[in-house]
Amino acid sequence: MPTFSREEIVHLGDLARIALTDEEITRLQGELNVIADSINKVQEVASDDVPPTANPVPLEAYMRPDVAATPLTQAEALSGAPKTEAGMFVAPRILGSEE
């Protein structure tokens, strides 16, 4: 059962370029040891006949069929707009206004 020493925690902090206080080193040492213990418990249960998985539920990409459809005409697209001009949507100016 591997345990992290204070020196290893300080070394990890140096690698990450993080200055750790003595209190943080002690706390991280405990937390990393709990994580290592948990990993060891999983390793004890895992065997060669259990395939490794990232997700216990198989994930599939559900995609709709790519069916060609007739696009809207310009008039149909503009029909619900509150204001149009020269075949385009008209929106209030929000950038560069003098107000």
Side-chain angles (χ1 to χ4, degrees):
M1 192 159 57
T3 56
F4 289 90
S5 66
R6 288 185 66 78
E7 292 77 25
E8 289 172 321
I9 303 300
V10 170
H11 180 66
L12 288 172
D14 290 342
L15 290 174
R17 303 207 186 286
I18 300 172
L20 298 172
T21 65
D22 286 336
E23 183 179 292
E24 291 171 326
I25 293 169
T26 302
R27 189 190 57 174
L28 286 171
Q29 185 179 10
E31 290 175 358
L32 288 174
N33 285 330
V34 167
I35 292 169
D37 289 340
S38 298
I39 291 171
N40 285 335
K41 287 178 186 174
V42 170
Q43 292 298 332
E44 291 172 8
V45 175
S47 62
D48 292 336
D49 62 333
V50 177
T53 59
N55 194 325
V57 178
L59 298 177
E60 296 180 29
Y62 296 103
M63 300 175 67
R64 65 173 175 77
D66 191 13
V67 178
T70 305
L72 295 176
T73 64
Q74 184 177 18
E76 290 171 332
L78 295 172
S79 67
K83 189 172 179 186
T84 63
E85 184 178 302
M88 295 179 279
F89 296 102
V90 175
R93 171 176 261 161
I94 57 170
L95 298 175
S97 64
E98 298 297 322
E99 298 174 332

